[in-house]
Structures are given as structure tokens and as C-alpha cells.
Amino acid sequence: MKYTVAVRTLCEFTAKLGDLDLRFTPSATALEGMAGHAMVAARRGDAYEAEVWLKGDYRDLVVRGRADGFDPEAGRLDEVKTYRGDLAAMPQNRRALHWAQAKCYGALLCAERGLAQLKVALVYFDVTSQDETMLVEAFSADDLRTFLELQCDRFLAWAAQETAHRSARDAALASLPFPYATFRTGQRQLAESVYKAAVAGRALLAQAPTGIGKTVGTLYPQLKAMPGQKLDKLYFLAAKTPGRALALEALRTISAPHHAEPAAADALMAGAVVEAAPVLPARTPLRVIELVARDKACEHPTKACHGDSCPLAKGFYDRLPAARQAAVGATPDAAPRLDRGGLRAIALAHEVCPYYLAQELVRWADVVVGDYNYYFDLGGMLHGLAHANDWRVGVLVDEAHNLVPRAREMYSATLSRAALAGVRPRAPATVAPALRRLARVWNEITGRQLEPYAAYEDLPVGLVTALQNVNSAIGDHSAAYPADVPPELLAFYFDTLHFTRLAESFGTHSLFDLTIADDAQGDVTLCLRNLVPASFLKPRFLAARTTTLFSATLTPMHFHSDLLGLPSDVAWVDVESPFDASQLRVQVAPLSTRFAHRPASLAPIVDLMAQQYAKAPGNYLAFFSSFDYLQQVSELFRGLHPDVPVWEQARQMTEGARGDFLERFRVDGRGIGFAVLGGAFAEAVDLPGQRLIGAFIATLGLPQVNPVNEQMKARLETLFGAGHDYTYLFPGLQKVVQAAGRVIRTTTDEGVVFLIDDRFRRPEVRRLLPAWWRVEPRNHEV
Ligand code: SF4
């Protein structure tokens, strides 16, 4: 079997040497790059061939790629690079990489066209001045062929290892047994649905209750489907760190040596051809890598990411090959874990940066576990790599009810006038006029607004032009004087770049609003606020061969489908619960927790909690819609019932403080923990058995009624005819069900949930509660 490699990948593997250098050098934007390439091609003669596809074989390798241009009259191949700033400042290793790419294309061109010699040119196009700098060298076809073969020889051993790994991986996954003797209730239904969606190349929304083993139930069938679907990678994307930890643990279990009953594995593929599951003597050869944020992985937080500052960036590419080999292991069984700790150990042993080592290793991993933003963000690395390398990927989205709010954040941008005012005094002379013009436009917009908050259908005239001028001025200045860019100016520049980029795709999915702070400073904030991320996410779903989004709270399906831009043929499964209604007493306390009635609700809520606690002492969680409400109830409770232990969630809690809060839920413990709906203790918290026997949930969890949410409601009403439900009701009830889901964790758990608000009696609200709950017909008397 031949291994196919792109010229770019080949050269990055063999010819990238020296330091890692992430010093900010403003490069040309993608649009400028395309325009620059087109400009260079347009300046050539009629015979000029732009974008020449090339391909060639060498032993077990197929090398392919697209050269930027060939001028047959001049006998010259062009490799075009767009840039901004001082060309002489380009690091030597980047120039060497450009030459390597150009020479490889030259060798492929000579072979395809039977040329005996060729001029090879690096054409550097300055996007600011539109000038070209051409570096030309003449080579014989033999010289170019020798160069390409040398690169291939350096890569062949790695390619052979990768081919062998892929074969072993796919063989093992095809006959992968389920890691346990049986499926849990509901787990098999989930796994079957995921497998069928993967085989059909579809997206799936899977609502599955807590306690059925969702992580194994989604990972296992996706892995099983990988060989048949020729998937290169599986991305497991989580909203929070605990989700990543669960996935890594599940992957360890799945790939450990197994002696499971074949029947359990066969059961998954009802209706599909299944080979007998063997007893595997060794662990499944699966390379699993964890991506963590830069601030968590960085070993030198006070340094900058280049060789003159950080020792782990110095000579990074010289030491990368050994680190890479250590990471994939000499044999599958010898491959180390590539989670945060494992990667750190390898990186430090080879004196390279762990954060950037992880990014390099994504290319050679089978499963990547990371945050949503690595795939769904505007510049999501995992999406970019899949696109550039033409990978077939499967995507799993854990706790997917978080994706709508997270994606809205990714595709929103804010700018603060205080930040603009802060950068102006120290701004370089070349940048100051553009900043002054931006300030003028900003003041004009603000001057026209009479209220503290207003939203607009369109972007104000002149704003985007003013921002583009600021971007060009700062970009040109930092290219010319990279050491003379104040940090606050650089931070402001990143904000304006992000804002401008989103402004260029402004549409009905977002609104533009301006807020004048009601304080002494009176800061003015401009915001591009995304309301419907569908148009941004849709291409990401289409780029994946299959995507499964799963969570305990995805009701109703159309809410997620509309807002996320899921494909029209998305499948839906609502997995049966393993729990019985007799395990959970759900009662409605019919009092009003509406904002105006909250003072009157405090005493009845305290009475209800005290009565329940007296009746069945143990560990409880009490959830409120805000910290203010939480504190009011908590104060009254402490005053009236000083004998009952209570503890509270605080606004900013460290990881340690969060651990202490949960520690108090001991098996033999007593007391009530006060927390907020939608907060750190309302989901992904596992307190089985006596560690938690009940929850009090005050309010429907509806987001606050404020001008921003009212704008959202109006827009969602226009787009989907469901403004109130999409803005308030569905997100609120999701929080309620997530919070209540803390009580019953296993099939032997028993507990109570009090839903404190009369609106829980309404049919439209009841429909959003889990089907297995039996809400008691006689309302609780308070
Ligand atoms: S260790 Fe930190 S400073 Fe050094 S290269 Fe890595 S991320 Fe940058």
C-alpha cells in the first residue's frame, strides 16, 4: 500500500528546522493572500499556467501538491508567498522551508513534463506595496529529483510506520469488543444509533439520560465504525475539563486488553454483519491525544513563544523528530499516554514546548480530545487541519446543550471605548491618525444614541472602514517595527481584527448594539452579538463525515437544529432512561418566584426546605436563578434554622473551593448546599447514593428579562416564530433538568425534587421535563 503525502506536509516534516517562532508578525490575511496570488498570475504572460497540480511516485510514497505557477516561456516555476513588513526579517528556517517546497514542486514538474532543467523562483509579494521580490535559482532535473528523493527517503520510514499503524489500528477496531460484559439500559440503544449515523455519514442528536454510560456509549460505536468509513480521525469535543477527563478514561477502558463476551459486541450491530470478537492479547493501538489550553500547558508563562525568550522554543524543530517518535512509541504497546501529563513528560524529556508538541502530534493521532473551540471556533485548528489535509473525521460533541451559548460567544465581538482611549497616548505616530478617526466615528455613533442601550439592524456607516484603517496601520507598523508595539495596542489590535472579521459577515444571525455604562466612567461598548450561530457552524458539520451531539437535555430537537445549523437529515434519538419513576418523587410547590414576588417567596421556600429536611435529614442541593436570590433565602434559612448546616456557592470560586463545596456531600453527611442554576454545581456533578438525596429548584431558570434578551427574543421570533421559547423557556428548563439530574445517578438511588414555581403546572412546561418523571398530581402544600 502506498502512502500519499502532500508536498507541504513532506517539507514540514523533513525541512523544518530551528526555533519555534510565534512572535507576532502580521501576515497577509487570507483574502490578501488570494488577491496577491491572483495579482502575480495576472502580471505574467498569456502562456503562464497558474495553479499547476502535480503528482509523482517514489518507492512507497505518492507525493502531490499544487505549484503556484509555471512560466513555460521563461522555463520557470514560481512559488508565491504573500507577506507584510520587512522581508529581511523573515527567519532563516522559514525561507529554507519555502525553498524546499519550491524545489519539490520543481522536481515533480520536471518528471511530468520531461524537462532537463528548470528555474525555480520564490516570489515574495508585499501586500502593502504590491511589489514582488523574486529569488531565482536554476537547477538541473537531476538535482531537483535528488532533492525530492532525499526528502522522501527521510519520510519513508515514518510513512511505513504510519501505514503499519493504520492497518493495525483498523484491524483492531473492526473487531473491537465492547469493554464490558453487557450494555447498561439505554446504552445499547445509544450505541446503535451512533453507529448507524456513522455508517450513514449523518449527524445525530442523541438525548440520553445520565447514568447510562454515554461516553463509552458514543466512543465505542464511533471507533467501531472508523475502519469501514475510512475515518482518519475522531474528534471528541467537550465543553468543560471533566468531560475531557471522562473521555480519556473511557478511551483507556476501551483500548485496554479485553476478554469480553463476543455476544456483547455483536449486540451493538443488530442488522449489521459482525465478525466474531476475538480475545485481544494486547491493547488496541490507538493514539489518543488531549489538547489543553495554552495557559494550562505552558511551562514558562512569563516568557514569549520564540527562541530568544523561551528555552522550550529554542531549537524546537531540531528536537521535534525525537519527541514525535517517543510520543507514538516504538511499538503500539510501548506508546505512552498522550494526555496532559504524558505529553508534558515527553516534551520535557526532549526539551520542547508541550503545548506546541501537542499541536504537532494532532497530525499523527487517531483520537483528539479537546475543547469545542478547537473545531467550532472561527479559526478552529482541528477544522483547519482536517480541511488542509483532506481528512475524513468523525466528531462527538459532549454535553451538547452547551454548544449554542458557547458558539454565540465564539462568533461575537466587543470593543470598549476605554480600551481605545487607553492605547491612544502611547500609539506610534503612524498609527495615531487611524485611531483618531476611529474615535471620531465612535463619538458620532454614541452622540446619536439617547438611551443607555440600543440595538441596530445595520452597522453604522463608516465604522468598518475606520476599523480596517486601524488594522492596516497597526499591521504595517508592527511589521516594520515588531519590537515597538505596546502590549495594550497589540491586545486592542486582536480585538479590532476579530470585530472586523465578524463585521464582514454581518447578517440577520447577529445584531449590533451599543451600551453606555451607567457609572462614573461611562464607558461605551460596541458589540457584534451573535444570536444564531447556525450559518457559522453549518460548514463545520458538513465538513465532518459524521457528527453526534449528545446530552441529557436536548429537548426540543428543533431548538438545537435551528440554532446550530444541523444538516436537514439530522437523526434524533431519545434514549430510554434506566431509572424508574418510583426512584424520584417530583413535587411542585405552586408559589410565584417571579421577580416581583421574590420577597414574598423567601419564607415559604425556607419552610418547605426545613420541613423536608426535618422529615428526611441528609444531603440536599438548593438551586436559585441568581446569587442575590440564593443569598436572600440562605440568610433567612440560617436565621430560622441555625441547627441545619448550610454552605453556599460563591461568585468566583477556585478549583479548590469547588472541591471543598462538593466534599461536604459525604455519605454520612447532613446539610444543604446552596447553588445557582446553570452554575458549576448544576451539571457534570456526580453525587450518587446518600451523597445527595434531594434538590430544591426555585424558578424556571429563565434568563433575565433585559434589553439584550428582549432583542434576542424579537429576532428569534422573526426567524423561527418562537422568540419567547427560544430565548427564555427552553434554555431555562434545560438548566432545571440538568440541576435535577444531580439527584438520581444510579438505578439504586432514591430521592426527591421540589420544583418551586406555579408555572411548573403548565402543560408547555411539563412537556419539557424528562418523560420518566412522574410529577405528583397533588401539589405540595406550602
Ligand atoms: S513553554 Fe510557554 S512560552 Fe515557551 S513556547 Fe511553550 S507556550 Fe510559549
Side-chain angles (χ1 to χ4, degrees):
M1 185 174 136
K2 292 219 171 204
Y3 189 94
T4 301
V5 62
V7 166
R8 196 187 166 110
T9 306
L10 177 71
C11 293
E12 281 180 358
F13 190 93
T14 60
K16 214 166 174 183
L17 299 169
D19 296 354
L20 178 81
D21 194 344
L22 270 288
R23 241 175 303 212
F24 179 69
T25 48
S27 50
T29 64
L31 272 180
E32 287 171 334
M34 285 192 303
H37 278 74
M39 174 73 83
V40 170
R43 287 173 179 171
R44 306 294 186 257
D46 289 346
Y48 191 73
E49 299 172 37
E51 304 203 337
V52 185
W53 281 97
L54 298 164
K55 189 171 161 187
D57 288 42
Y58 177 71
R59 294 171 57 186
D60 286 338
L61 275 187
V62 177
V63 183
R64 66 179 184 194
R66 189 186 55 199
D68 288 321
F70 176 52
D71 187 337
E73 288 168 351
R76 191 190 68 239
L77 176 138
D78 291 345
E79 177 64 11
V80 181
K81 303 290 179 192
T82 51
Y83 76 102
R84 188 191 283 283
D86 181 10
L87 187 58
M90 179 174 285
Q92 203 44 47
N93 61 349
R94 202 172 302 170
R95 179 72 52 80
L97 187 65
H98 294 165
W99 271 120
Q101 287 173 7
K103 286 162 76 174
C104 287
Y105 288 129
L108 294 172
L109 186 78
C110 286
E112 266 195 23
R113 309 228 175 156
L115 306 176
Q117 55 205 9
L118 182 71
K119 288 183 199 142
V120 176
L122 285 182
V123 181
Y124 287 103
F125 181 84
D126 184 336
V127 293
T128 308
S129 68
Q130 313 257 304
D131 291 339
E132 291 178 33
T133 304
M134 190 184 279
L135 310 177
V136 190
E137 283 194 40
F139 297 95
S140 70
D142 281 349
D143 285 348
L144 291 171
R145 181 173 45 76
T146 305
F147 180 84
L148 175 61
E149 288 179 358
L150 183 64
Q151 309 311 306
C152 291
D153 281 330
R154 286 185 189 152
F155 188 70
L156 269 168
W158 182 268
Q161 172 188 286
E162 290 306 289
T163 306
H165 167 73
R166 178 66 176 257
S167 301
R169 179 199 89 173
D170 283 354
L173 292 181
S175 55
L176 184 70
F178 191 65
Y180 303 108
T182 56
F183 287 93
R184 291 192 211 168
T185 307
Q187 194 179 33
R188 177 178 154 176
Q189 187 191 1
L190 174 64
E192 272 182 7
S193 304
V194 175
Y195 183 79
K196 284 179 188 158
V199 169
R202 292 174 67 183
L204 170 72
L205 266 174
Q207 178 165 273
T210 309
I212 66 162
K214 286 198 288 285
T215 312
V216 169
T218 50
L219 274 168
Y220 173 70
Q222 267 288 3
L223 291 169
K224 191 91 179 151
M226 275 180 94
Q229 296 309 305
K230 299 188 172 18
L231 294 190
D232 297 296
K233 320 260 170 210
L234 174 59
Y235 296 159
F236 186 100
L237 307 171
K240 298 182 181 137
T241 309
R244 291 208 312 266
L246 276 176
L248 292 168
E249 188 53 42
L251 286 159
R252 275 195 276 278
T253 304
I254 290 171
S255 59
H258 291 303
H259 301 276
E261 292 296 320
D266 291 358
L268 170 65
M269 315 304 172
V273 177
V274 177
E275 54 299 319
V279 174
L280 298 180
R283 78 179 184 85
T284 308
L286 202 60
R287 295 180 190 154
V288 178
I289 188 163
E290 180 186 16
L291 294 179
V292 298
R294 183 180 172 278
D295 60 340
K296 298 248 166 57
C298 178
E299 290 290 321
H300 296 285
T302 57
K303 299 193 186 305
C305 304
H306 58 83
D308 296 340
S309 173
C310 177
L312 300 182
K314 183 111 199 128
F316 177 90
Y317 291 107
D318 302 333
R319 291 189 293 279
L320 176 62
R324 186 166 52 205
Q325 188 61 58
V328 301
T331 65
D333 257 4
R337 285 181 184 176
L338 299 178
D339 56 8
R340 182 178 168 185
L343 270 168
R344 179 171 185 265
I346 295 169
L348 297 188
H350 292 83
E351 296 175 62
V352 294
C353 166
Y355 177 68
Y356 290 105
L357 175 63
Q359 303 211 346
E360 291 288 334
L361 290 175
V362 166
R363 291 161 177 79
W364 318 110
D366 302 307
V367 184
V368 184
V369 179
D371 186 90
Y372 289 172
N373 69 313
Y374 283 107
Y375 188 74
F376 289 113
D377 209 354
L378 202 53
M381 175 189 65
L382 293 179
H383 172 257
L385 279 172
H387 179 70
N389 293 287
D390 215 9
W391 290 335
R392 283 166 73 89
V393 299
V395 176
L396 289 173
V397 184
D398 178 42
E399 301 289 7
H401 59 278
N402 289 299
L403 189 53
V404 170
R406 284 289 307 278
R408 281 178 175 151
E409 281 172 25
M410 292 174 204
Y411 293 97
S412 296
T414 54
L415 289 175
S416 139
R417 193 169 66 177
L420 171 61
V423 298
R424 287 185 64 190
R426 286 183 60 204
T430 49
V431 175
L435 292 175
R436 196 165 50 242
R437 276 195 295 277
L438 175 61
R440 198 167 55 231
V441 171
W442 202 313
N443 287 338
E444 283 166 12
I445 302 166
T446 312
R448 288 195 292 268
Q449 183 171 311
L450 302 174
E451 319 81 31
Y453 173 86
Y456 302 84
E457 293 286 323
D458 300 307
L459 294 174
V461 175
L463 177 63
V464 174
T465 307
L467 285 167
Q468 284 167 338
N469 290 339
V470 165
N471 293 341
S472 295
I474 304 178
D476 289 346
H477 176 81
S478 47
Y481 310 101
D484 179 34
V485 188
E488 67 276 9
L489 184 65
L490 200 54
F492 185 70
Y493 180 42
F494 290 142
D495 287 346
T496 55
L497 278 177
H498 183 55
F499 197 100
T500 312
R501 210 169 152 192
L502 289 176
E504 283 165 359
S505 58
F506 186 72
T508 54
H509 49 67
S510 300
L511 59 83
F512 170 76
D513 62 27
L514 187 149
T515 308
I516 304 168
D518 185 20
D519 56 22
Q521 286 75 37
D523 192 11
V524 179
T525 309
L526 307 181
C527 182
L528 279 178
R529 198 179 299 276
N530 179 258
L531 310 174
V532 183
S535 57
F536 295 106
L537 301 188
K538 190 171 195 165
R540 307 293 162 106
F541 293 119
L542 294 177
R545 165 77 189 156
T546 175
T547 305
T548 290
L549 304 101
F550 61 100
S551 161
T553 48
L554 290 177
T555 300
M557 174 190 171
H558 58 82
F559 170 72
H560 294 91
S561 183
D562 286 344
L563 295 187
L564 295 175
L566 292 168
S568 55
D569 68 343
V570 60
W572 163 253
V573 61
D574 190 2
V575 176
E576 70 178 286
S577 171
F579 307 132
D580 188 85
S582 63
Q583 290 181 254
L584 184 69
R585 285 182 59 212
V586 185
Q587 301 192 15
V588 173
L591 54 93
S592 171
T593 63
R594 292 166 186 83
F595 195 73
H597 304 149
R598 285 194 186 162
S601 73
L602 304 183
I605 293 175
V606 167
D607 279 354
L608 167 71
M609 292 166 64
Q611 279 174 29
Q612 175 61 27
Y613 187 85
K615 201 161 86 184
N619 294 315
Y620 291 86
L621 268 167
F623 292 101
F624 300 87
S625 51
S626 67
F627 281 102
D628 285 345
Y629 200 7
L630 178 157
Q631 250 134 28
Q632 288 166 22
V633 178
S634 155
E635 257 170 45
L636 188 62
F637 192 95
R638 283 175 193 271
L640 293 174
H641 305 282
D643 49 323
V644 179
V646 297
W647 55 99
E648 294 161 10
Q649 178 177 357
R651 274 198 164 82
Q652 304 285 340
M653 281 176 111
T654 60
E655 249 172 61
R658 286 206 293 266
D660 292 345
F661 183 98
L662 291 174
E663 268 303 299
R664 299 195 62 166
F665 293 87
R666 292 186 308 273
V667 172
D668 57 351
R670 296 271 187 283
I672 304 175
F674 283 65
V676 287
L677 280 168
F681 305 110
E683 61 179 85
V685 165
D686 198 20
L687 298 168
Q690 293 301 304
R691 292 190 67 194
L692 184 70
I693 62 167
F696 306 94
I697 301 175
T699 80
L700 271 71
L702 307 185
Q704 198 187 28
V705 176
N706 59 31
V708 173
N709 284 336
E710 286 296 284
Q711 285 293 332
M712 183 179 304
K713 178 179 147 187
R715 182 66 58 86
L716 296 179
E717 182 64 34
T718 306
L719 292 175
F720 305 109
H724 176 265
D725 289 356
Y726 276 29
T727 306
Y728 296 109
L729 187 62
F730 298 158
L733 265 289
Q734 257 175 25
K735 285 188 229 159
V736 167
V737 176
Q738 279 289 339
R742 301 313 97 206
V743 179
I744 302 297
R745 310 297 292 175
T746 74
T747 49
T748 55
D749 281 6
E750 291 187 352
V752 294
V753 166
F754 289 90
L755 302 174
I756 305 172
D757 195 291
D758 55 74
R759 287 165 290 180
F760 281 111
R761 295 191 294 193
R762 295 181 179 169
E764 70 270 24
V765 174
R766 288 285 181 89
R767 271 197 292 276
L768 299 172
L769 302 178
W772 71 273
W773 285 11
R774 193 168 60 228
V775 182
E776 294 193 359
R778 196 171 65 78
N779 296 326
H780 187 84
E781 298 297 327
V782 292

